[in-house]
Amino acid sequence: GAGVSQSPSNKVTEKGKDVELRCDPISGHTALYWYRQSLGQGLEFLIYFQGNSAPDKSGLPSDRFSAERTGGSVSTLTIQRTQQEDSAVYLCASSLDRGRNSPLHFGNGTRLTVT
Amino acid sequence: AQSVTQPDIHITVSEGASLELRCNYSYGATPYLFWYVQSPGQGLQLLLKYFSGDTLVQGIKGFEAEFKRSQSSFNLRKPSVHWSDAAEYFCAVGAGDSNYQLIWGAGTKLIIKP
């Protein structure tokens, strides 16, 4: 079956531009998560959705970052006025529900480079 | 503060040799522990998890891990590595009831020598 799909796989943008990253979770998975992975770092939690609601936005690094999820399915992470420090791999994961008994299924990530 | 430490940034092992990747955690309660693997250009995949019970847990791809409460460790092992095991390995601790509360280690990159 289809796994978690992320697009684009690579994105190069100029500093100051806005970018949108898309995540298509596994069908039926109610929980969806966004992480940022910088070189040599672990996973930095950004935000998660239960259905279309985001109960915890505390991981978003600044107000330039926002995310939404529609129809309990596709999610978009938007970064406005990109900065060079935003360069990283952005990973999306989904799980059947948000409980720790539900394994996370990850997409292959979007590698963002801000020049 | 809750934390996860993977002391080795990278490890090089010969194909066929045994492997142990270290993970130490700091957490006040009984932890929920996970190992994930990330192959090059891929997302992360769950290898194994410990919630309770037997402290030696078996996972996929021939991996196992042992929870040692006295040492606050959850080390990952494999008796004989294959070239396809070359990847980055992440240890994580469940700091609450929900997946979003996972605390992640910085990862250990495994390099396999032919």
Side-chain angles (χ1 to χ4, degrees):
Chain A
V4 177
S5 178
Q6 290 188 248
S7 60
S9 54
N10 281 285
K11 176 73 176 177
V12 181
T13 189
E14 292 180 354
K15 177 181 171 181
K17 301 278 191 183
D18 297 352
V19 295
E20 282 191 356
L21 313 180
R22 176 188 168 106
C23 174
D24 210 332
I26 292 173
S27 177
H29 280 196
T30 64
L32 184 147
Y33 315 79
W34 283 100
Y35 293 90
R36 181 166 68 176
Q37 185 178 26
S38 303
L39 197 62
Q41 307 288 317
L43 272 66
E44 177 187 6
F45 168 75
L46 298 178
I47 189 170
Y48 93 100
F49 290 88
Q50 180 62 44
N52 292 334
S53 300
D56 188 337
K57 301 181 181 179
S58 62
L60 294 175
S62 76
D63 59 8
R64 296 185 294 105
F65 287 71
S66 63
E68 66 174 12
R69 188 180 186 194
T70 56
S73 182
V74 173
S75 176
T76 303
L77 177 69
T78 301
I79 309 174
Q80 296 179 309
R81 305 181 303 283
T82 51
Q83 303 294 312
Q84 288 187 330
E85 61 262 28
D86 300 333
S87 295
V89 175
Y90 290 82
L91 291 170
C92 174
S94 69
S95 59
L96 197 59
D97 60 58
R98 68 175 192 170
R100 59 193 170 198
N101 276 317
S102 293
L104 295 171
H105 296 261
F106 284 82
N108 290 343
T110 294
R111 181 176 297 278
L112 175 66
T113 304
V114 181
T115 61
Chain B
Q2 299 153 353
S3 64
V4 177
T5 302
Q6 293 180 248
D8 304 303
I9 297 172
H10 42 74
I11 279 185
T12 301
V13 177
S14 297
E15 190 169 15
S18 64
L19 170 70
E20 182 169 31
L21 301 182
R22 295 183 290 163
C23 174
N24 294 96
Y25 66 88
S26 172
Y27 184 62
T30 300
Y32 292 76
L33 299 158
F34 306 81
W35 276 99
Y36 279 80
V37 60
Q38 184 179 31
S39 298
Q42 307 279 308
L44 282 74
Q45 180 185 18
L46 179 66
L47 275 177
L48 47 78
K49 61 186 179 183
Y50 170 80
F51 282 5
S52 65
D54 193 345
T55 56
L56 183 64
V57 294
Q58 303 297 321
I60 62 171
K61 305 186 181 190
F63 285 92
E64 67 178 27
E66 186 171 12
F67 168 55
K68 293 185 177 180
R69 184 188 300 275
S70 61
Q71 298 177 19
S72 298
S73 69
F74 188 56
N75 294 348
L76 182 71
R77 301 194 295 246
K78 186 169 184 178
S80 175
V81 298
H82 185 262
W83 65 266
S84 60
D85 294 325
E88 191 150 21
Y89 292 80
F90 292 90
C91 180
V93 172
D97 292 334
S98 298
N99 274 326
Y100 78 94
Q101 296 166 305
L102 288 176
I103 301 169
W104 296 84
T108 297
K109 186 173 182 179
L110 175 62
I111 300 163
I112 307 294
K113 285 193 302 186

